[in-house]
Amino acid sequence: MATTDRQATTLALAHALSAAERGLAVIPLSRTKLPALRSPHRDDPTAPICHGECGRLGHGVYDATTDPARIRDLFTAAPWATGYGIACGLPPHHLIGVDLDTKSDTDSSAALRELALRHLFTIPDTVVVLTPSGGRHLWLSGPPDVVVPNSAGRLAPGIDIRGAGGYLVGPGSRTDHGTYATAPGTAHLAPAACPPALLRLLLPPPRSHHPTPPSTGGHGQGLVQFVLAAHEGQRNTRLFWAACRAYEDGIGPALVDPLIDAALNTGLSEREARATIASAARMTGHRP
Ligand SMILES: [Zn+2]
């Protein structure tokens, strides 16, 4: 048993190192698919929020790295690891995981096809990982300046999204339920770019504090307000969303300056704001 586990750990490490070579940041996982290393702060309820600033290991997805020496350190500290997780949302791939579940009685693959038909996108050829329970993970690559949040069942029942702060169980991982493996013919692929129409579905919808905002300033003013109300963690996402809407509605060029002003107000730099708006323009098929 112990020997089997050691072999599983060695194998997981080998898979993790190979994923890292492709630019994917990894952490060791236990058989339960959770990060193998527990938080060094778990016994200290008064500890301030730490994402690894303390220098120790055990900060979940914040430990994720592509550095082989660091990966070996992580696995040495977690000799019970039998798998590895791949952090989403990090450069260079800005990985987005589309997790198609089979547990629910709904057909999540059919739900995704239906979404694709309704929103006019096609699922590109990309890495597909088969899960032991019969589910599938599609790996997509997001644009660098957009934060895709994690969500469960928001897109459709049985479809979970792994975005920033989330991770995907890497192919070759062994868990209590079985082994994860790439679908035949997809292992060599790079994560394909997420179709813009799908990406827009993954971004949070605007949430107004007023159920029916007064229509004094019109649609453009609403988009500007939406950006102005952004908290620090959502500034770029909101700006991107608002700019996409503006371009789709034909007021993109007119709204560039007001949106940049709003973004500066939230603390984004002008360079960041212009890059995000340019990206939204490209996404929606316009010239930045
Ligand atoms: Zn810490």
Side-chain angles (χ1 to χ4, degrees):
M1 184 64 192
T3 309
T4 308
D5 272 359
R6 251 199 312 281
Q7 284 172 352
T9 306
T10 308
L11 204 57
L13 172 60
H15 281 294
L17 288 170
S18 133
E21 259 174 42
R22 302 172 65 188
L24 300 164
V26 296
I27 52 168
L29 297 183
S30 71
R31 288 184 167 276
T32 59
K33 303 192 283 181
L34 292 172
L37 290 169
R38 295 177 65 196
S39 166
H41 311 294
R42 64 185 178 276
D43 295 326
D44 180 7
T46 62
I49 291 173
C50 177
H51 293 327
E53 294 84 351
C54 67
R56 284 178 287 175
L57 303 176
H59 298 82
V61 78
Y62 294 99
D63 287 348
T65 176
T66 55
D67 173 14
R70 182 88 175 158
I71 294 169
R72 287 177 193 282
D73 287 348
L74 285 163
F75 275 81
T76 302
W80 51 87
T82 59
Y84 65 104
I86 297 173
C88 296
L90 298 181
H93 297 294
H94 306 276
L95 197 62
I96 302 167
V98 180
D99 181 352
L100 301 171
D101 202 358
T102 50
K103 281 199 287 282
S104 45
D105 33 291
T106 52
D107 183 346
S108 55
S109 292
L112 181 64
R113 279 196 301 273
E114 196 186 304
L115 275 175
L117 280 174
R118 197 181 332 142
H119 295 274
L120 303 174
F121 62 85
T122 47
I123 303 295
D125 283 339
T126 193
V127 182
V128 177
V129 175
L130 307 175
T131 77
S133 60
R136 294 186 302 145
H137 294 167
L138 311 186
W139 290 12
L140 296 173
S141 167
D145 43 9
V146 172
V147 178
V148 173
N150 292 291
S151 64
R154 192 171 70 79
L155 216 55
I159 304 181
D160 294 351
I161 300 299
R162 311 254 183 269
Y167 63 87
L168 288 161
V169 179
S173 294
R174 194 185 288 187
T175 70
D176 283 337
H177 299 288
T179 302
Y180 286 66
T182 41
T186 71
H188 67 285
L189 298 172
C194 181
L198 174 58
L199 185 66
R200 281 199 295 280
L201 296 176
L202 304 182
L203 299 179
R207 250 178 314 196
S208 172
H209 294 291
H210 311 286
T212 45
S215 61
T216 47
H219 181 49
Q221 189 54 34
L223 293 175
V224 169
Q225 283 299 331
F226 176 64
V227 173
L228 280 172
H231 301 297
E232 190 177 340
Q234 43 178 220
R235 295 181 304 206
N236 236 330
T237 311
R238 282 197 171 215
L239 178 61
F240 179 76
W241 192 94
C244 281
R245 285 290 157 313
Y247 277 105
E248 282 169 350
D249 298 342
I251 54 174
L255 218 56
V256 167
D257 287 337
L259 283 177
I260 285 176
D261 284 347
L264 292 178
N265 242 293
T266 67
L268 278 186
S269 74
E270 180 168 349
R271 195 180 56 80
E272 287 173 302
R274 285 197 185 280
T276 298
I277 293 175
S279 166
R282 283 192 299 272
M283 282 281 170
T284 52
H286 295 80
R287 203 179 282 275

Coordinates of all heavy atoms in Angstrom, one line a residue, residues 1-66:
M1 N 0.8 -1.2 0.0 CA 0.0 0.0 0.0 C 0.9 1.2 0.0 O 0.7 2.1 -0.8 CB -0.9 0.0 1.2 CG -1.9 1.1 1.3 SD -3.1 1.1 -0.2 CE -3.8 2.7 0.0
A2 N 1.8 1.2 0.9 CA 2.7 2.4 1.0 C 3.5 2.6 -0.3 O 3.7 3.7 -0.8 CB 3.7 2.3 2.2
T3 N 3.9 1.4 -0.8 CA 4.7 1.4 -2.1 C 3.8 2.0 -3.2 O 4.3 2.8 -3.9 CB 5.2 0.0 -2.4 OG1 5.8 -0.5 -1.3 CG2 6.2 0.1 -3.6
T4 N 2.6 1.5 -3.2 CA 1.7 2.0 -4.3 C 1.5 3.5 -4.2 O 1.5 4.2 -5.2 CB 0.3 1.3 -4.1 OG1 0.5 -0.1 -4.0 CG2 -0.6 1.6 -5.2
D5 N 1.4 4.0 -2.9 CA 1.2 5.4 -2.8 C 2.4 6.2 -3.2 O 2.3 7.3 -3.8 CB 0.9 5.7 -1.3 CG -0.7 5.6 -1.1 OD1 -1.4 5.4 -2.0 OD2 -1.1 5.8 0.1
R6 N 3.6 5.6 -2.9 CA 4.8 6.3 -3.3 C 4.9 6.4 -4.8 O 5.3 7.4 -5.4 CB 6.1 5.6 -2.7 CG 6.7 6.4 -1.6 CD 8.2 6.0 -1.3 NE 8.4 4.6 -1.2 CZ 8.1 3.9 0.0 NH1 7.6 4.5 1.0 NH2 8.3 2.6 0.0
Q7 N 4.5 5.3 -5.4 CA 4.5 5.3 -6.9 C 3.5 6.3 -7.4 O 3.8 7.0 -8.4 CB 4.1 3.9 -7.4 CG 5.2 2.9 -7.3 CD 4.8 1.5 -7.7 OE1 3.6 1.2 -7.8 NE2 5.7 0.5 -7.7
A8 N 2.3 6.4 -6.8 CA 1.3 7.3 -7.2 C 1.9 8.8 -7.1 O 1.6 9.6 -7.9 CB 0.1 7.2 -6.4
T9 N 2.6 9.0 -6.0 CA 3.2 10.3 -5.8 C 4.2 10.7 -6.8 O 4.2 11.7 -7.4 CB 3.8 10.4 -4.4 OG1 2.8 10.0 -3.4 CG2 4.3 11.8 -4.1
T10 N 5.1 9.7 -7.1 CA 6.1 9.9 -8.1 C 5.5 10.2 -9.5 O 5.9 11.1 -10.2 CB 7.0 8.6 -8.2 OG1 7.5 8.3 -6.9 CG2 8.2 8.8 -9.2
L11 N 4.5 9.4 -9.8 CA 3.8 9.6 -11.1 C 3.1 11.0 -11.1 O 3.2 11.7 -12.1 CB 2.7 8.5 -11.2 CG 2.2 8.1 -12.6 CD1 3.4 7.7 -13.4 CD2 1.2 7.0 -12.5
A12 N 2.4 11.4 -10.0 CA 1.8 12.7 -10.0 C 2.8 13.8 -10.2 O 2.6 14.8 -10.9 CB 1.0 12.8 -8.6
L13 N 4.0 13.6 -9.5 CA 5.0 14.6 -9.6 C 5.5 14.7 -11.1 O 5.6 15.8 -11.6 CB 6.2 14.3 -8.7 CG 7.5 15.1 -8.9 CD1 7.2 16.6 -8.6 CD2 8.6 14.6 -8.0
A14 N 5.6 13.6 -11.7 CA 6.1 13.6 -13.1 C 5.1 14.3 -14.0 O 5.4 15.1 -14.9 CB 6.3 12.1 -13.6
H15 N 3.8 14.0 -13.8 CA 2.7 14.7 -14.6 C 2.7 16.2 -14.3 O 2.6 17.0 -15.2 CB 1.4 14.1 -14.2 CG 1.1 12.8 -14.9 ND1 0.9 12.7 -16.3 CD2 0.9 11.5 -14.4 CE1 0.7 11.4 -16.6 NE2 0.7 10.7 -15.5
A16 N 2.9 16.5 -13.0 CA 2.9 17.9 -12.6 C 4.0 18.7 -13.3 O 3.9 19.8 -13.8 CB 2.9 18.1 -11.1
L17 N 5.2 18.1 -13.3 CA 6.4 18.7 -13.9 C 6.2 18.9 -15.4 O 6.6 19.9 -16.0 CB 7.6 17.9 -13.7 CG 8.2 17.9 -12.2 CD1 9.3 16.8 -12.0 CD2 8.7 19.3 -11.9
S18 N 5.5 17.9 -16.0 CA 5.3 18.0 -17.5 C 4.3 19.1 -17.8 O 4.4 19.8 -18.8 CB 5.0 16.6 -18.0 OG 3.8 16.6 -18.8
A19 N 3.2 19.2 -16.9 CA 2.3 20.3 -17.1 C 3.0 21.6 -16.9 O 2.7 22.6 -17.7 CB 1.1 20.2 -16.1
A20 N 3.9 21.7 -15.9 CA 4.6 23.0 -15.7 C 5.4 23.4 -16.9 O 5.6 24.6 -17.2 CB 5.5 22.9 -14.4
E21 N 6.0 22.4 -17.6 CA 6.8 22.7 -18.8 C 5.9 23.3 -19.9 O 6.4 24.1 -20.7 CB 7.3 21.3 -19.4 CG 8.8 21.1 -19.0 CD 9.2 19.7 -19.5 OE1 8.9 19.4 -20.6 OE2 9.9 19.0 -18.7
R22 N 4.6 23.1 -19.8 CA 3.7 23.7 -20.8 C 3.2 25.0 -20.3 O 2.3 25.6 -20.8 CB 2.5 22.7 -21.1 CG 3.0 21.4 -21.6 CD 1.8 20.4 -21.7 NE 0.8 20.9 -22.6 CZ -0.4 20.3 -22.8 NH1 -0.7 19.2 -22.0 NH2 -1.2 20.7 -23.7
G23 N 3.7 25.5 -19.2 CA 3.4 26.8 -18.7 C 2.2 26.8 -17.7 O 1.6 27.8 -17.4
L24 N 1.8 25.6 -17.2 CA 0.7 25.5 -16.3 C 1.2 25.4 -14.8 O 2.0 24.5 -14.5 CB -0.1 24.2 -16.6 CG -0.7 24.2 -18.0 CD1 -1.2 22.9 -18.4 CD2 -1.9 25.3 -18.1
A25 N 0.8 26.3 -14.0 CA 1.2 26.3 -12.6 C 0.4 25.3 -11.8 O -0.8 25.1 -11.9 CB 1.0 27.7 -12.0
V26 N 1.2 24.5 -11.0 CA 0.6 23.3 -10.3 C 0.8 23.3 -8.8 O 1.7 24.0 -8.3 CB 1.1 22.0 -10.9 CG1 0.8 21.9 -12.4 CG2 2.7 22.0 -10.7
I27 N -0.1 22.6 -8.1 CA 0.1 22.3 -6.7 C -0.2 20.8 -6.5 O -1.0 20.2 -7.3 CB -0.9 23.1 -5.8 CG1 -2.4 22.9 -6.3 CG2 -0.5 24.5 -5.7 CD1 -3.4 23.4 -5.3
P28 N 0.4 20.2 -5.4 CA 0.0 18.8 -5.2 C -1.4 18.6 -4.6 O -1.8 19.5 -3.8 CB 1.1 18.3 -4.2 CG 1.7 19.6 -3.6 CD 1.4 20.7 -4.6
L29 N -2.1 17.6 -5.0 CA -3.4 17.3 -4.4 C -3.4 15.9 -3.7 O -2.7 15.0 -4.1 CB -4.5 17.2 -5.6 CG -4.7 18.5 -6.4 CD1 -5.9 18.2 -7.4 CD2 -5.1 19.7 -5.5
S30 N -4.3 15.8 -2.8 CA -4.5 14.5 -2.1 C -5.5 13.7 -2.8 O -6.1 14.2 -3.8 CB -4.9 14.8 -0.6 OG -6.2 15.2 -0.7
R31 N -5.7 12.5 -2.3 CA -6.7 11.6 -3.0 C -8.1 12.2 -3.0 O -9.0 11.8 -3.8 CB -6.8 10.3 -2.3 CG -5.6 9.4 -2.5 CD -5.7 8.1 -1.8 NE -4.7 7.2 -2.3 CZ -4.8 6.5 -3.4 NH1 -5.9 6.6 -4.1 NH2 -3.8 5.8 -3.9
T32 N -8.4 13.2 -2.1 CA -9.7 13.8 -2.1 C -9.8 15.0 -3.0 O -10.8 15.7 -3.0 CB -10.0 14.3 -0.6 OG1 -9.0 15.3 -0.3 CG2 -10.0 13.2 0.4
K33 N -8.8 15.2 -3.8 CA -8.8 16.3 -4.8 C -8.6 17.7 -4.1 O -8.6 18.7 -4.8 CB -10.1 16.4 -5.6 CG -10.4 15.1 -6.4 CD -11.5 15.3 -7.4 CE -12.9 15.4 -6.7 NZ -14.0 15.6 -7.7
L34 N -8.3 17.7 -2.8 CA -8.1 18.9 -2.1 C -6.6 19.2 -2.1 O -5.8 18.2 -2.3 CB -8.6 18.9 -0.7 CG -10.1 18.9 -0.6 CD1 -10.5 18.6 0.8 CD2 -10.7 20.2 -1.1
P35 N -6.1 20.4 -2.0 CA -4.7 20.7 -1.9 C -4.1 19.8 -0.8 O -4.6 19.6 0.3 CB -4.6 22.2 -1.5 CG -5.9 22.8 -2.1 CD -6.9 21.7 -1.9
A36 N -3.0 19.1 -1.1 CA -2.4 18.2 -0.2 C -1.8 18.8 1.0 O -1.8 18.2 2.1 CB -1.3 17.4 -1.0
L37 N -1.3 20.0 0.9 CA -0.7 20.7 2.0 C -1.7 21.6 2.7 O -2.4 22.4 2.1 CB 0.5 21.6 1.6 CG 1.7 20.8 1.1 CD1 2.7 21.7 0.4 CD2 2.3 20.1 2.3
R38 N -1.8 21.4 4.0 CA -2.8 22.2 4.8 C -2.2 23.5 5.2 O -1.0 23.7 5.2 CB -3.3 21.4 6.0 CG -4.0 20.1 5.6 CD -4.4 19.3 6.9 NE -5.4 20.0 7.7 CZ -5.6 19.7 9.0 NH1 -5.0 18.7 9.5 NH2 -6.5 20.4 9.6
S39 N -3.1 24.4 5.5 CA -2.6 25.8 5.8 C -1.8 25.8 7.1 O -2.1 25.2 8.1 CB -3.8 26.7 6.0 OG -3.4 27.9 6.6
P40 N -0.6 26.5 7.0 CA 0.2 26.6 8.3 C -0.5 27.5 9.3 O -0.1 27.5 10.4 CB 1.5 27.3 7.7 CG 1.1 28.0 6.5 CD 0.0 27.2 5.9
H41 N -1.6 28.1 8.9 CA -2.3 29.0 9.9 C -3.6 28.4 10.4 O -4.4 29.1 11.0 CB -2.6 30.3 9.1 CG -1.5 30.9 8.4 ND1 -0.4 31.4 9.0 CD2 -1.3 31.1 7.1 CE1 0.5 31.9 8.1 NE2 0.0 31.7 6.9
R42 N -3.8 27.1 10.1 CA -5.1 26.5 10.4 C -5.4 26.5 11.9 O -6.6 26.5 12.3 CB -5.2 25.1 9.8 CG -4.2 24.1 10.5 CD -4.3 22.7 9.8 NE -3.3 21.8 10.3 CZ -2.0 21.7 10.0 NH1 -1.6 22.5 9.1 NH2 -1.2 20.8 10.5
D43 N -4.4 26.5 12.7 CA -4.6 26.5 14.2 C -4.7 27.9 14.8 O -4.7 28.0 16.0 CB -3.6 25.6 14.9 CG -3.7 24.1 14.4 OD1 -4.9 23.7 14.2 OD2 -2.7 23.5 14.3
D44 N -4.6 28.9 14.0 CA -4.5 30.2 14.5 C -5.6 31.1 13.9 O -5.5 31.7 12.9 CB -3.1 30.9 14.2 CG -3.0 32.3 14.7 OD1 -3.9 32.7 15.4 OD2 -2.0 32.9 14.4
P45 N -6.8 31.1 14.6 CA -7.9 31.8 14.1 C -7.7 33.3 14.0 O -8.4 34.0 13.2 CB -9.0 31.5 15.1 CG -8.3 31.1 16.4 CD -7.0 30.5 16.0
T46 N -6.7 33.8 14.7 CA -6.5 35.3 14.6 C -5.5 35.6 13.5 O -5.2 36.8 13.3 CB -5.9 35.8 15.9 OG1 -4.6 35.1 16.1 CG2 -6.8 35.5 17.1
A47 N -5.0 34.6 12.7 CA -4.0 34.9 11.7 C -4.6 35.8 10.6 O -5.7 35.6 10.2 CB -3.5 33.6 11.1
P48 N -3.8 36.8 10.2 CA -4.4 37.6 9.1 C -4.4 36.8 7.8 O -3.7 35.8 7.7 CB -3.3 38.7 9.0 CG -2.1 38.2 9.6 CD -2.5 37.2 10.6
I49 N -5.2 37.2 6.9 CA -5.3 36.5 5.6 C -3.9 36.5 5.0 O -3.2 37.5 4.8 CB -6.3 37.2 4.7 CG1 -7.7 37.0 5.2 CG2 -6.2 36.6 3.3 CD1 -8.8 37.8 4.5
C50 N -3.5 35.3 4.6 CA -2.1 35.1 4.1 C -2.3 34.3 2.8 O -2.9 33.2 2.8 CB -1.2 34.4 5.1 SG 0.4 34.0 4.5
H51 N -1.6 34.7 1.7 CA -1.6 34.0 0.5 C -0.2 33.5 0.2 O 0.2 33.4 -0.9 CB -2.1 34.9 -0.7 CG -3.6 35.2 -0.5 ND1 -4.5 34.4 0.0 CD2 -4.3 36.3 -0.9 CE1 -5.7 34.9 0.0 NE2 -5.6 36.1 -0.6
G52 N 0.5 33.2 1.3 CA 1.9 32.7 1.1 C 3.0 33.8 1.5 O 4.1 33.5 1.4
E53 N 2.5 35.0 1.9 CA 3.5 36.0 2.2 C 4.4 35.6 3.4 O 5.5 36.1 3.5 CB 2.7 37.3 2.6 CG 1.9 38.0 1.5 CD 0.5 37.4 1.3 OE1 0.2 36.3 1.9 OE2 -0.2 37.9 0.5
C54 N 3.9 34.6 4.2 CA 4.7 34.2 5.4 C 5.9 33.3 4.9 O 6.7 33.0 5.7 CB 3.8 33.4 6.3 SG 3.2 31.8 5.6
G55 N 5.9 32.9 3.6 CA 7.0 32.2 3.2 C 6.9 30.7 3.3 O 7.7 29.9 2.9
R56 N 5.8 30.2 4.0 CA 5.7 28.8 4.2 C 4.8 28.2 3.1 O 4.1 29.0 2.4 CB 5.1 28.5 5.6 CG 6.1 28.7 6.7 CD 5.5 28.4 8.1 NE 4.6 29.6 8.5 CZ 3.9 29.6 9.6 NH1 3.9 28.5 10.4 NH2 3.2 30.6 9.9
L57 N 4.7 26.9 3.0 CA 3.9 26.2 2.0 C 2.5 25.9 2.7 O 2.4 25.9 3.9 CB 4.5 24.9 1.6 CG 5.9 25.0 1.0 CD1 6.5 23.6 0.7 CD2 5.9 25.8 -0.3
G58 N 1.5 25.7 1.8 CA 0.2 25.3 2.3 C -0.9 26.4 2.1 O -1.8 26.5 2.9
H59 N -0.7 27.1 1.1 CA -1.7 28.2 0.8 C -2.6 27.8 -0.4 O -2.9 28.7 -1.2 CB -1.0 29.5 0.7 CG -0.3 30.0 1.9 ND1 0.9 29.5 2.2 CD2 -0.7 30.7 2.9 CE1 1.3 30.0 3.4 NE2 0.3 30.8 3.8
G60 N -2.8 26.5 -0.5 CA -3.7 26.1 -1.6 C -3.2 26.6 -3.0 O -2.0 26.4 -3.3
V61 N -4.1 27.1 -3.8 CA -3.8 27.4 -5.1 C -2.7 28.6 -5.2 O -2.1 28.7 -6.2 CB -5.1 27.8 -5.9 CG1 -5.6 29.2 -5.6 CG2 -5.0 27.6 -7.4
Y62 N -2.6 29.3 -4.1 CA -1.6 30.3 -4.1 C -0.1 29.8 -4.1 O 0.8 30.5 -4.3 CB -1.8 31.3 -2.9 CG -3.0 32.1 -3.0 CD1 -4.2 31.7 -2.3 CD2 -3.1 33.2 -3.8 CE1 -5.4 32.4 -2.4 CE2 -4.3 33.9 -4.0 CZ -5.4 33.5 -3.3 OH -6.6 34.1 -3.4
D63 N 0.0 28.5 -3.8 CA 1.3 27.8 -3.9 C 1.7 27.5 -5.3 O 2.8 27.1 -5.6 CB 1.3 26.5 -3.1 CG 1.3 26.7 -1.6 OD1 1.5 27.8 -1.1 OD2 1.0 25.7 -0.9
A64 N 0.7 27.6 -6.2 CA 0.9 27.1 -7.6 C 2.1 27.7 -8.3 O 2.3 28.9 -8.2 CB -0.4 27.3 -8.4
T65 N 2.9 26.9 -8.9 CA 4.1 27.4 -9.5 C 4.4 26.6 -10.8 O 4.0 25.4 -10.9 CB 5.3 27.3 -8.5 OG1 6.5 27.7 -9.2 CG2 5.4 25.9 -8.0
T66 N 5.2 27.1 -11.7 CA 5.8 26.4 -12.8 C 7.3 26.1 -12.6 O 7.9 25.5 -13.5 CB 5.6 27.2 -14.1 OG1 6.2 28.5 -14.0 CG2 4.2 27.4 -14.5

